Amino acid sequence: MRAMCGRYVVAYDPNTLIAGFSVVRVDPFPKRWNVAPMSMVPVVHDTRDGERVAELMRWGLLPHWAKDEKLAAKLNNARVEGMADKPSFRQAVRRRRCLLPVSGFYEWQATPSGKQPWYISPRKARSDEPLFAFAGLFEAWRPTGSADDAAWLLTCCIVTTEANALMAPIHDRMPVIIAREHWAPWLDRSLQDPAALTPLMAPTDPARLQAWPVSRAVNRGSAEGEALIEPLPATG
């Protein structure tokens, strides 16, 4: 089983989250077409006071008990299978769930000529849902021995599951995409029974997605720009 490669697109304005996700506060961020792990990314979550906000968090989870920041590089994804019992994720599964709004994501298909990147996004017909809402977990971390007034580092990861019919020819894993009607319970901090979360993470209907191969330029972490998501020209 191959791990998710971990790149996605944030090509929307921050104000989109105010109307689309009903947040009362949003941190500013730039549009990006090649977001990689360890980047600061917009994340929607409910605060302890019951407000829904969109804050920037670093992609790569750091559990509160981590001794240093090295662990984050290994925890950009959480496999849905058994995550509720794993030390790195079990507290966040129960108390700190979030949504990562994305325009689309990349995945790499193994081919005889090497790995071919594909771009996956919502179908244009789904104008009522122009963004994906990835299931995520988040944590607040600071080094052991920090002063009481030291700043907390907010970090997050993406929950992944087995590929659906559209994704299977490309890759064997995909992000868990939370349907709009399940956003509220997924973010609800009082819902702490992992068994109750299973229906919220139902497999995504392939009809909601579209996919096409794109330039291998996206392989470079420094590559940016809207051209990265353009379909490859037809051949033959």
Side-chain angles (χ1 to χ4, degrees), residues 126 128-129 178-186 199-200 202 208:
R126 302 285 303 189
D128 58 325
E129 294 184 23
I178 302 294
R180 180 183 293 271
E181 61 269 24
H182 294 154
W183 289 357
W186 177 259
L200 310 182
R208 293 184 57 198

Side-chain angles (χ1 to χ4, degrees), residues 46 94-95 97 183-192:
D46 286 357
R94 290 163 174 79
R95 300 181 178 88
R97 298 182 300 275
W183 289 357
W186 177 259
L187 297 176
D188 186 352
R189 300 173 74 108
S190 68
L191 181 60
Q192 298 185 8

Side-chain angles (χ1 to χ4, degrees), residues 149-231:
D149 60 351
W152 292 89
L153 174 64
L154 295 177
T155 65
C156 64
C157 68
I158 295 169
V159 179
T160 70
T161 188
E162 292 184 354
N164 64 13
L166 181 139
M167 282 293 302
I170 303 171
H171 199 277
D172 52 25
R173 304 290 298 177
M174 68 179 295
V176 171
I177 299 173
I178 302 294
R180 180 183 293 271
E181 61 269 24
H182 294 154
W183 289 357
W186 177 259
L187 297 176
D188 186 352
R189 300 173 74 108
S190 68
L191 181 60
Q192 298 185 8
D193 179 6
L197 302 175
T198 301
L200 310 182
M201 298 185 286
T204 302
D205 181 355
R208 293 184 57 198
L209 296 92
Q210 58 185 356
W212 55 77
V214 296
S215 168
R216 296 187 184 187
V218 74
N219 295 352
R220 301 193 310 273
S222 60
E224 264 296 348
E226 192 170 0
L228 294 177
I229 67 172
E230 291 296 320

Side-chain angles (χ1 to χ4, degrees), residues 26-230:
V26 56
D27 291 343
F29 54 86
K31 293 182 179 180
R32 292 189 60 192
W33 282 266
N34 197 9
V35 178
M38 306 307 286
S39 299
M40 298 300 292
V41 296
V43 175
V44 173
H45 70 98
D46 286 357
T47 68
R48 289 193 178 101
D49 296 327
E51 291 186 326
R52 184 169 298 177
V53 300
E55 292 187 285
L56 291 181
M57 300 187 186
R58 196 175 72 185
W59 182 14
L61 195 74
L62 268 179
H64 70 90
W65 44 260
K67 295 181 180 179
D68 55 48
E69 299 187 38
K70 296 178 181 178
L71 185 60
K74 301 178 181 179
L75 298 179
N76 54 301
N77 295 323
R79 295 173 67 96
V80 70
E81 301 90 349
M83 69 177 180
D85 299 319
K86 294 180 180 178
S88 296
F89 307 122
R90 61 189 177 199
Q91 288 196 23
V93 168
R94 290 163 174 79
R95 300 181 178 88
R96 289 178 289 278
R97 298 182 300 275
C98 59
L99 297 172
L100 287 84
V102 310
S103 305
F105 64 99
Y106 301 102
E107 203 46 82
W108 278 253
Q109 180 185 43
T111 73
S113 60
K115 290 185 177 181
Q116 172 60 52
W118 286 67
Y119 180 63
I120 302 95
S121 62
R123 282 194 180 275
K124 292 182 179 180
R126 302 285 303 189
S127 58
D128 58 325
E129 294 184 23
L131 302 177
F132 288 140
F134 287 173
L137 309 174
F138 75 98
E139 287 276 13
W141 179 89
R142 60 186 179 187
T144 302
S146 297
D148 291 342
D149 60 351
W152 292 89
L153 174 64
L154 295 177
T155 65
C156 64
C157 68
I158 295 169
V159 179
T160 70
T161 188
E162 292 184 354
N164 64 13
L166 181 139
M167 282 293 302
I170 303 171
H171 199 277
D172 52 25
R173 304 290 298 177
M174 68 179 295
V176 171
I177 299 173
I178 302 294
R180 180 183 293 271
E181 61 269 24
H182 294 154
W183 289 357
W186 177 259
L187 297 176
D188 186 352
R189 300 173 74 108
S190 68
L191 181 60
Q192 298 185 8
D193 179 6
L197 302 175
T198 301
L200 310 182
M201 298 185 286
T204 302
D205 181 355
R208 293 184 57 198
L209 296 92
Q210 58 185 356
W212 55 77
V214 296
S215 168
R216 296 187 184 187
V218 74
N219 295 352
R220 301 193 310 273
S222 60
E224 264 296 348
E226 192 170 0
L228 294 177
I229 67 172
E230 291 296 320

